[in-house]
Amino acid sequence: MSDNEIVWKEKGAERRARWHSEAGVPPPRRVVIADDTLTADRAYRLACEGTAMLWRGDFQNARLLLQALGRRVDGKKEKPGAPPKADGKSQAEKFHLYRMGQAQRARTLGMLLIPFDADHTVPLRRAPDVTAACTEAYGAVETPYVASLRELIGLIGAHEWRRRGLPVEALGADKSGAPNRIHAHYGVFAPVRGEYLELVWRAPLPKMDLAFDIGTGTVVLAAILARRGVKRVVATELDARALTCARDNLRRLKIDERIEVVEADLFPPIEMGQADLIICNPPWLPGKPGAPLERAIYDQDSRMLKGFLGGLAARLAPRGEGWLILSDLAEHLGLRTREELLGWIAEAGLKEVGRLEARPQHPKSNDENDPLHAARKREVTSLWRLAAA
C-alpha cells in the first residue's frame, strides 16, 4: 500500500482508492465498512483501536455519528492513548500535553471516512453538494478518492468563510455602508483577531512612499496600509494558496493597482530596494506544525521571526521603521522568554522606538474552562516599532 492509497475489503473483494489528507495523515491500515447500523460506542472503540470506518450509509447520519464520537472523546475521563493529567505541571508542559491531546482527538475523529467520486461528489444518501468546497481546497481531480469526514466538515466551513468574508472595520465601507470584507481561502489564516488589525490602523506612520508586508497571507495588513494612504505596498508570500488568496482580495477591494503581491521567502527581491516601512505578523508560537494548516500558528525554531529581524535593518530605508506584530502568549506558556526576543532584536542591529499594545478580544481569553486559560488571560499583543540602531 502506497502513502496515497487506501485499501479495504468489501463484498469479498479487495478495493483501492486514492487517499487524500490535507494534514498529511497517512492512510489507515485497517479499514472496515460501516453504515447506519453502527452504534456510536462501537465506532468509538474501533477509532481508538486505530480502525477506520468507510461510510456507506446516510450522509447526515455520518455527521451525527461524528458528533457523537466528539462527545465521547471530550467527555472521556481517561481516553485510550491520552496524555497524563497536567496537574502540577509547568505552563510549557501543560501546553505540550494540550497539543498531544488535540492531536489524539484529531486522530480519533479522523477515523470516519467518506468516499468521493472523481468530480468531488459524495455518493451517499442525503449528501450535500460539496463540489465547490472540495474544488477550492483540492483543485480538479481525475479519480475517485477517500478522505475523512472531519476534514470534509472543515472544507465546508472554510468554503462558507470564503464565500461570506470577514468584515474588517479598518478597511472602510462598501457602497452599502457595510465594512469591507476579507475572504480567506482554505488553508490561509483568517484575520479573526481584531486587536492586531486595530494596532496597525492606529500606529503612527513614518513618512513614506513604499512599504513591504512580509508573509502577507490574506493581504489584510497591506490593504490597511493602503487604506491609510501608503502609495505603494509590496506584499510577499511563499505559500501558493495564500498568493492566490491575496490577489483575489486585492481584486475584490479594488486596490490591486497600489499593492503588488510577489512570491518570496520573507523579503522581496533585493532589486526592489529599501522600504520606509516593513511590517510582519509571523506565527506567534514557536513549535513544529503538526499539519500544513498549522504553519500560520507555529513557527518552527522561530525561523520566520528570526529571519524577519535578521534581515530588517538592511532592507529599511534611512529613518524607516519595521513593525513586528507579536503576541506574548509564547512567553506565558514558557516557550520563549522576553529576554530571548530582546536579544534577537539587539543582535539584528535594531532598536525599539515605540510600542503599542492591546488585550485579546477572542472568546478563549475569557474561557475559564480552556486548558490554557492561565496564560491566555495574561496575553498582550504588541506592535513593536523597530529601527536600525
Side-chain angles (χ1 to χ4, degrees):
M1 184 172 70
S2 67
D3 289 341
N4 64 348
E5 187 178 55
I6 185 170
V7 180
W8 71 95
K9 286 187 177 180
E10 187 171 5
K11 296 180 180 178
E14 184 177 271
R15 304 279 298 276
R16 294 172 180 265
R18 187 168 61 84
W19 168 250
H20 194 106
S21 169
E22 284 295 305
V25 176
R29 295 191 174 276
R30 297 191 301 276
V31 182
V32 297
I33 298 300
D35 58 24
D36 305 310
T37 63
L38 180 67
T39 67
D41 287 338
R42 174 60 177 160
Y44 180 67
R45 287 194 295 271
L46 288 169
C48 290
E49 294 166 359
T51 299
M53 295 151 280
L54 179 57
W55 193 255
R56 294 302 193 192
D58 180 89
F59 181 88
Q60 300 305 326
N61 286 343
R63 293 192 68 159
L64 294 174
L65 179 60
L66 184 66
Q67 293 171 7
L69 288 174
R71 289 192 295 270
R72 282 159 176 76
V73 171
D74 297 336
K76 198 74 173 175
K77 297 295 184 182
E78 297 291 341
K79 299 184 288 291
K85 292 182 178 180
D87 298 344
K89 304 289 185 181
S90 69
Q91 283 293 338
E93 289 172 320
K94 289 180 180 179
F95 175 71
H96 291 305
L97 289 171
Y98 168 77
R99 287 201 73 190
M100 289 171 59
Q102 291 297 99
Q104 176 64 31
R105 184 182 194 276
R107 283 192 294 270
T108 301
L109 298 185
M111 289 295 172
L112 187 55
L113 312 182
I114 296 292
F116 295 80
D117 288 337
D119 58 356
H120 294 306
T121 58
V122 176
L124 299 175
R125 296 189 307 275
R126 292 203 297 166
D129 183 356
V130 297
T131 54
C134 292
T135 301
E136 288 172 357
Y138 297 161
V141 296
E142 298 179 352
T143 59
Y145 63 96
V146 171
S148 78
L149 175 58
R150 182 174 184 267
E151 179 165 297
L152 175 60
I153 299 301
L155 262 63
I156 295 171
H159 170 69
E160 288 303 308
W161 272 99
R162 176 173 174 174
R163 185 181 62 82
R164 294 195 302 264
L166 185 71
V168 178
E169 298 284 347
L171 293 179
D174 59 21
K175 293 180 180 179
S176 70
N180 281 313
R181 293 173 176 263
I182 286 290
H183 298 259
H185 292 197
Y186 179 75
V188 183
F189 192 73
V192 293
R193 294 190 53 162
E195 70 268 17
Y196 78 92
L197 305 179
E198 177 64 23
L199 289 175
V200 174
W201 176 253
R202 63 185 176 91
L205 279 176
K207 188 176 181 180
M208 73 171 74
D209 293 317
L210 174 64
F212 294 160
D213 175 18
I214 307 302
T216 193
T218 62
V219 86
V220 64
L221 297 185
I224 291 175
L225 293 179
R227 172 74 178 171
R228 294 192 63 186
V230 178
K231 296 178 181 178
R232 182 176 175 234
V233 183
V234 176
T236 69
E237 183 54 66
L238 194 59
D239 181 79
R241 280 178 171 154
L243 285 165
T244 301
C245 177
R247 290 166 178 150
D248 176 47
N249 279 309
L250 290 183
R251 288 190 293 269
R252 290 175 182 269
L253 294 168
K254 296 181 173 57
I255 52 173
D256 45 339
E257 74 283 354
R258 297 173 63 185
I259 300 176
E260 180 181 2
V261 177
V262 299
E263 183 177 356
D265 187 2
L266 294 176
F267 297 92
I270 193 67
E271 56 266 24
M272 290 187 140
Q274 296 176 312
D276 306 291
L277 174 65
I278 305 179
I279 189 170
C280 183
N281 176 32
W284 289 350
L285 296 178
K288 183 179 180 180
L293 299 184
E294 290 189 348
R295 290 172 186 160
I297 303 171
Y298 297 103
D299 185 10
Q300 188 168 4
D301 301 320
S302 299
R303 177 193 172 275
M304 186 172 182
L305 174 57
K306 291 179 180 179
F308 171 70
L309 293 173
L312 181 58
R315 301 304 302 272
L316 280 175
R319 296 179 296 280
E321 285 188 17
W323 290 358
L324 171 65
I325 303 164
L326 196 65
S327 159
D328 65 357
L329 181 61
E331 298 173 21
H332 300 305
L333 292 173
L335 306 178
R336 180 179 60 235
T337 66
R338 178 56 57 94
E339 289 70 26
E340 283 180 298
L341 177 60
L342 294 175
W344 297 338
I345 291 172
E347 289 170 8
L350 301 168
K351 62 181 180 181
E352 180 185 345
V353 297
R355 193 189 323 165
L356 283 74
E357 297 181 339
R359 289 284 182 178
Q361 303 166 3
H362 58 88
K364 281 190 176 181
S365 62
N366 296 314
D367 183 4
E368 295 184 358
N369 295 319
D370 187 290
L372 307 179
H373 176 68
R376 293 191 195 278
K377 70 180 181 180
R378 299 158 58 196
E379 180 185 6
V380 173
T381 301
S382 298
L383 185 152
W384 297 71
R385 295 173 54 209
L386 306 172

